[in-house]
Amino acid sequence: MSREHVLVTGAGIAGLGAALALGDTRRVTLVDRDRAAPLDDAEDAFLHWERRGATQLRHSHVFLGRLTTLLATRYPALLKELTDCGARIFTFQDGLPPPLRDSYTPRPGDEDLSILFSRRTTLELVMRRTVKRLPNVTILDEAGVRGVLIEGGAVKGLKVERGGVVEDLQADLTVDASGRNTAFPDWLRAAGIKVGEEESPAGILYFTRHYRLRDGAEEPTRDGTPGAGDLGYIKFGVFPADNRHFSITLAIPEIETELRMAVVKPEVFDRVCAEIPGCARWTDAARAEPASQVFAMGNLKSVWRSYSPMPANFFALGDAAVRTNPLYGRGCSAGIVHAHILREVLDATGDPAARAETFAADTRKALRPFYDSMVRQDTLAIRRAANERDPHYQPSWRARAIKSLVEDAIGPATRGDIAVLRAFSRAFHMIDDPNDWWKRPDMVARLIGFWGLPEKYKRARGFYPPKFGPERAEMISKLKLA
Ligand SMILES: Cc1cc2nc3c(=O)[nH]c(=O)nc-3n(C[C@H](O)[C@H](O)[C@H](O)COP(=O)(O)OP(=O)(O)OC[C@H]3O[C@@H](n4cnc5c(N)ncnc54)[C@H](O)[C@@H]3O)c2cc1C
């Protein structure tokens, strides 16, 4: 047991991840401005847990293989408690497209590609429960961090306000896990530290509505109708969750002003869902009933922060350090992985300068490839959304070739070739580098092979997904929007 006391701002996913990662070897205090959940119950947390510090709490969340595997290997009791609470594990085999189901043979590594189906409130509730049981961890709820104590380039603790009284809390190590709206960069800048912020727009707004399966109703069978897709003017996703809940998110480009202003109305949201086959089969009134209003969220962007020089004994984790477009579902996995990187760095050396340097380098190595790949995809999606609105748009040959590569090679190959699906999924789930899989010679050969197959042959074998939904003009007309 180290004698170090770690003071963490934020008891969200990264803060709780830090408590899990460090709590067996260090004394950890989590400080969060919000209240704890009123009752220790998943349904009550979903309905009543007020989290002004984490306003994304009631948006759809998917938890990728990287996070699920980390929980399964390091915290099996936590994962068991989650599933006892109604969360579900959706395996690689469960998600296989129809053409691959009958010939599937499990391979080592497939177990890393399981998704955790859970409302975000349920996951946080159970993580919190586990963390509260750790003897070395304390959670200070309703305690707002108001500033940072800094002396000679080293962070010494925090200014914390509780019940109207501000006090200085000293610590050996200070962690910023205060999420997307962290105030630490401003506080540290004021102390003369340079904070670098690279930003890139996500280009979308998020609209989420929750539903509950009616008594006796079952989830739709997985017949190959995609539960997620991109229509260019709307991206959609169905997020199965715990206890017969599921949610649907419609991500609408910022430039689609009329559409995004309309879709916040529950009746319009449901009408849009009814036009998209992958959503309609879930929201069908005979199968499910709405369980919430439509939640909207904007100001979505990617941000990469770096500190120069990194103040001694200070570490930023999760969204406070690296924020990404929620569409990729990677933020929570990244936050927990980041907390475990911190644990390894702290265990490796006690030297503050070496810790700062290694933490920055290891963060970059683990998370930067994903960040860069998402930013690149966002740039393309923003361009595509603008083109959707332009009736005179004529794609260049390059744009046509990229579209064809995605739609006629990568798409069909991930539905028709298990090796390609595995490689793609390992990148999707943050296990392998997202930029490498499709450059491997064996993958290039397979993708070119699929590209060259006649369309008719690919269609006959179910390698193309059914159409995601109507074209933009048709949807706009059906919704009677300008
Ligand atoms: C709309 C949306 C949908 C998303 N969907 C997914 C998804 O499907 N899958 C996924 O993995 N990720 C998703 N994400 C990303 C994910 O929510 C974040 O990456 C994750 O919550 C980051 O964890 P965190 O602990 O860094 O921050 P948060 O979880 O936001 O926690 C920050 C905590 O800090 C506290 N805090 C803030 N300031 C202070 C202060 N001054 N004093 C005390 N406490 C403070 C807050 O109360 C809060 O509890 C989504 C994000 C958004 C916006």
Side-chain angles (χ1 to χ4, degrees):
M1 177 81 190
S2 150
R3 290 195 186 175
E4 285 174 322
H5 176 212
V6 189
L7 196 49
V8 181
T9 304
I13 296 292
L16 292 168
L20 288 172
L22 306 176
D24 61 336
T25 52
R26 291 165 175 84
R27 193 156 67 83
V28 179
T29 306
L30 302 184
V31 183
D32 203 291
R33 48 173 283 183
D34 286 341
R35 261 182 216 174
L39 298 175
D40 193 8
D41 169 79
E43 216 49 43
D44 193 72
F46 174 67
L47 292 172
H48 304 301
W49 194 2
E50 239 193 89
R51 295 283 272 109
R52 285 190 301 141
T55 45
Q56 74 275 33
L57 197 75
R58 284 184 182 77
H59 278 279
S60 302
H61 272 68
V62 64
F63 305 108
L64 299 180
R66 187 69 187 268
L67 185 153
T68 313
T69 305
L70 197 143
L71 294 184
T73 48
R74 297 198 190 213
Y75 311 103
L78 192 164
L79 192 59
K80 161 97 176 42
E81 208 166 323
L82 255 170
T83 50
D84 288 348
C85 242
R88 290 176 297 153
I89 304 289
F90 185 78
T91 64
F92 180 63
Q93 182 169 12
D94 294 333
L96 286 177
L100 293 174
R101 278 182 200 158
D102 291 343
S103 57
Y104 173 69
T105 316
R107 276 274 193 87
D110 287 356
E111 67 284 359
D112 295 340
L113 306 174
S114 293
I115 295 173
L116 178 68
F117 283 163
S118 168
R119 282 170 290 182
R120 158 86 186 238
T121 40
T122 308
L123 174 66
E124 254 195 56
L125 190 80
V126 174
M127 282 180 77
R128 228 174 199 269
R129 215 188 264 168
T130 305
V131 161
K132 279 181 93 167
R133 279 191 220 117
L134 299 174
N136 306 319
V137 178
T138 310
I139 305 184
L140 304 180
D141 291 312
E142 297 178 72
V145 174
R146 300 283 173 255
V148 60
L149 307 175
I150 186 156
E151 235 179 77
V155 173
K156 304 275 185 187
L158 299 167
K159 283 194 176 306
V160 178
E161 182 182 342
R162 296 175 81 193
V165 180
V166 179
E167 60 176 328
D168 290 354
L169 297 187
Q170 309 276 340
D172 302 301
L173 304 171
T174 301
V175 171
D176 175 13
S178 65
R180 59 208 297 274
N181 297 320
T182 174
F184 277 78
D186 290 343
W187 295 330
L188 292 172
R189 271 190 204 106
I193 287 156
K194 268 210 239 151
V195 185
E197 283 181 339
E198 292 168 59
E199 275 195 21
S200 176
I204 49 163
L205 281 93
Y206 238 59
F207 298 89
T208 296
R209 190 169 201 201
H210 288 257
Y211 301 82
R212 194 174 186 284
L213 293 170
R214 291 188 188 279
D215 290 344
E218 293 301 326
E219 290 183 351
T221 49
R222 294 179 199 279
D223 63 357
T225 311
D230 185 358
L231 291 156
Y233 64 97
I234 293 183
K235 296 171 173 55
F236 66 92
V238 179
F239 295 73
D242 56 288
N243 295 298
R244 301 177 63 75
H245 277 262
F246 66 92
S247 60
I248 294 198
T249 288
L250 303 177
I252 303 192
E254 282 169 354
I255 54 167
E256 290 286 358
T257 313
E258 308 83 0
L259 189 55
R260 60 185 171 79
M261 286 177 67
V263 90
V264 79
K265 297 183 197 122
E267 63 281 9
V268 178
F269 189 96
D270 285 351
R271 257 166 51 216
V272 172
C273 290
E275 295 297 331
I276 300 174
C279 299
R281 54 211 298 272
W282 287 80
T283 55
D284 178 0
R287 187 189 301 278
E289 58 189 345
S292 78
Q293 63 184 91
V294 178
F295 298 105
M297 192 151 179
N299 189 25
L300 303 174
K301 55 186 172 184
S302 303
V303 183
W304 183 279
R305 291 201 172 88
S306 48
Y307 295 86
S308 154
M310 185 83 159
N313 305 326
F314 170 78
F315 305 91
L317 287 185
D319 277 14
V322 184
R323 184 173 150 187
T324 52
N325 182 345
L327 209 58
Y328 305 93
R330 286 177 170 153
C332 293
S333 296
I336 293 195
V337 165
H338 209 186
H340 287 79
I341 292 175
L342 178 61
R343 162 71 190 257
E344 279 167 28
V345 169
L346 297 183
D347 284 359
T349 170
D351 173 46
R355 281 176 163 182
E357 197 176 312
T358 317
F359 183 66
D362 290 0
T363 299
R364 182 164 273 276
K365 190 164 165 228
L367 303 180
R368 189 72 198 202
F370 295 98
Y371 179 86
D372 286 340
S373 146
M374 289 184 273
V375 165
R376 266 197 306 276
Q377 289 180 66
D378 287 344
T379 308
L380 291 175
I382 290 170
R383 207 177 298 153
R384 181 176 170 200
N387 294 339
E388 285 279 338
R389 291 171 65 94
D390 177 1
H392 308 295
Y393 169 66
Q394 291 292 333
S396 65
W397 73 264
R398 190 168 177 269
R400 283 203 304 273
I402 292 174
K403 186 167 184 282
S404 170
L405 175 68
V406 172
E407 291 179 3
D408 303 317
I410 298 177
T414 54
R415 289 172 76 86
D417 183 334
I418 191 80
V420 175
L421 180 64
R422 272 197 183 97
F424 168 85
S425 301
R426 290 184 66 78
F428 173 81
H429 284 278
M430 295 185 75
I431 293 157
D432 291 345
D433 188 304
N435 305 306
D436 285 352
W437 73 271
W438 50 274
K439 293 184 197 153
R440 277 170 25 203
D442 59 327
M443 288 296 137
V444 171
R446 286 170 189 268
L447 292 175
I448 289 175
F450 266 82
W451 211 355
L453 289 174
E455 185 181 330
K456 215 166 140 194
Y457 174 89
K458 287 187 271 193
R459 284 212 183 280
R461 273 162 184 71
F463 296 166
Y464 283 103
K467 197 171 174 226
F468 288 142
E471 302 294 328
R472 179 178 183 276
E474 191 187 337
M475 178 72 91
I476 295 291
S477 145
K478 284 196 161 141
L479 298 176
K480 299 192 172 52
L481 298 177

